[in-house]
């Protein structure tokens, strides 16, 4: 286990289609975060899990977005009925509850979504 | 909305020079972190400074925190071309959960 893994790296989809991204965190980490980043901007918080519980969701996460983390391991982020405004880099990060206060997050390389 | 705001938005220097980036934030924090992002890649955690610390070093990096001014600075000494990247400050807040809020970043270009 060498880090946070995200799949796919790139996704091109037509407007109106559904897409699903996967994140595999560092196995010892019990916190998992999703962020969205558009060109020239910093990452924007979407949601986070502690183990399997989704503890917070941003208002950016519309009804078309849903995230899950079954069994507190990997996580999926699904976007339904994609819109061109959903085009962005979707970043996943993980941390230990205690270590997040001292060591920050470990990020994956992201999934770049392009909606055409 | 983003909590941290970096200044400058972009910085271009010669290899060997020092690079200083600043970050300001609005509300009380538990800690402040700096991350680096190479083009099209994920973020890499560089350094974390807690709210009760004033200065921290890691290799060529020096971070200061002034909670009275709600500001932080990141100094990269003896810059290298490989330091070319975007640098983000991020603040940690206890809002009933712990989430980290990122600024818009400073784009650093180090010319060889």
């Amino acid at each position: 286990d060498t880090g946070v893994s995200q799949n796919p790296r790139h996704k091109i989809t037509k407007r109106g289609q559904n897409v699903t991204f996967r994140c595999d965190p560092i196995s010892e980490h019990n916190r998992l975060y999703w962020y969205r980043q558009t060109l020239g901007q910093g990452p924007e918080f979407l949601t986070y899990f502690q183990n399997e519980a989704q503890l917070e969701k941003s208002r950016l996460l519309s009804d078309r977005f849903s995230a899950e983390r079954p069994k507190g391991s990997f996580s999926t982020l699904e976007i339904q009925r994609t819109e061109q405004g959903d085009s962005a880099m979707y970043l996943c990060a993980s941390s230990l509850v205690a270590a997040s206060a001292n060591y920050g997050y470990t990020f994956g390389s992201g999934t770049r979504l392009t909606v055409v | 909305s983003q909590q941290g705001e970096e200044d400058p938005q972009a910085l271009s220097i010669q290899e060997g020079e020092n690079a200083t980036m600043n970050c300001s934030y609005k509300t009380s924090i538990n800690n402040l972190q700096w991350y680096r992002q190479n083009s099209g890649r994920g973020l890499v955690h560089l350094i974390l400074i807690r709210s009760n610390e004033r200065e921290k070093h890691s290799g060529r990096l020096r971070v200061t925190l002034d909670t009275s001014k709600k500001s932080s600075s990141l100094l990269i000494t003896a810059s290298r071309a490989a330091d070319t990247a975007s640098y983000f400050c991020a603040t940690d807040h206890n809002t009933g959960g712990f989430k980290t809020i990122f600024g818009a970043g400073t784009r650093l270009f180090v010319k060889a």
Side-chain angles (χ1 to χ4, degrees):
Chain A
D1 190 337
T2 57
V4 177
S5 176
Q6 291 189 247
N7 289 288
R9 289 293 308 274
H10 304 274
K11 179 70 177 178
I12 300 175
T13 190
K14 291 184 178 179
R15 188 161 49 99
Q17 297 293 305
N18 298 344
V19 294
T20 300
F21 310 140
R22 175 176 171 129
C23 172
D24 288 90
I26 292 174
S27 55
E28 308 87 71
H29 288 182
N30 55 359
R31 288 209 171 179
L32 185 149
Y33 301 78
W34 285 99
Y35 284 82
R36 180 174 69 187
Q37 185 179 27
T38 53
L39 197 61
Q41 298 298 312
E44 295 176 295
F45 171 79
L46 293 179
T47 188
Y48 88 94
F49 294 82
Q50 180 165 315
N51 300 314
E52 66 274 11
Q54 188 173 18
L55 296 186
E56 190 168 349
K57 292 171 59 173
S58 163
R59 280 172 287 182
L60 292 174
L61 222 61
S62 74
D63 292 345
R64 297 184 297 105
F65 288 71
S66 63
E68 294 181 345
R69 193 183 182 198
K71 301 177 184 177
S73 55
F74 70 92
S75 175
T76 59
L77 178 67
E78 181 183 16
I79 309 174
Q80 297 181 326
R81 305 181 302 281
T82 52
E83 302 172 355
Q84 287 187 321
D86 297 332
S87 295
M89 175 81 88
Y90 289 84
L91 294 164
C92 176
S94 70
S95 73
L96 281 171
V97 175
S100 67
N102 293 301
Y103 302 116
Y105 296 167
T106 301
F107 276 87
S109 296
T111 293
R112 181 169 296 284
L113 173 66
T114 303
V115 181
V116 297
Chain B
S1 63
Q2 304 292 12
Q3 166 75 319
E5 293 185 5
E6 287 90 340
D7 170 57
Q9 291 185 335
L11 180 61
S12 181
I13 59 175
Q14 290 290 140
E15 203 167 32
E17 293 180 341
N18 295 343
T20 300
M21 289 160 266
N22 302 297
C23 170
S24 60
Y25 57 92
K26 297 174 184 174
T27 59
S28 295
I29 59 173
N30 294 323
N31 64 58
L32 186 144
Q33 303 164 48
W34 285 92
Y35 289 80
R36 183 187 72 226
Q37 185 179 37
N38 292 90
S39 180
R41 306 299 300 274
L43 283 79
V44 174
H45 180 258
L46 295 176
I47 198 165
L48 180 151
I49 187 165
R50 289 190 288 271
S51 59
N52 62 351
E53 296 176 314
R54 292 296 167 260
E55 188 170 315
K56 206 162 183 179
H57 297 255
S58 176
R60 293 184 296 113
L61 306 180
R62 173 178 169 256
V63 168
T64 62
L65 178 64
D66 187 335
T67 53
S68 67
K69 295 181 179 178
K70 293 187 171 58
S71 67
S72 173
S73 68
L74 171 66
L75 168 68
I76 304 174
T77 60
S79 63
R80 305 166 182 168
D83 295 328
T84 294
S86 292
Y87 292 81
F88 296 91
C89 75
T91 49
D92 231 25
H93 308 265
N94 183 359
T95 60
F98 290 89
K99 67 184 183 189
T100 299
I101 307 295
F102 288 81
T106 291
R107 279 130 199 92
L108 174 65
F109 182 64
V110 181
K111 293 176 281 188

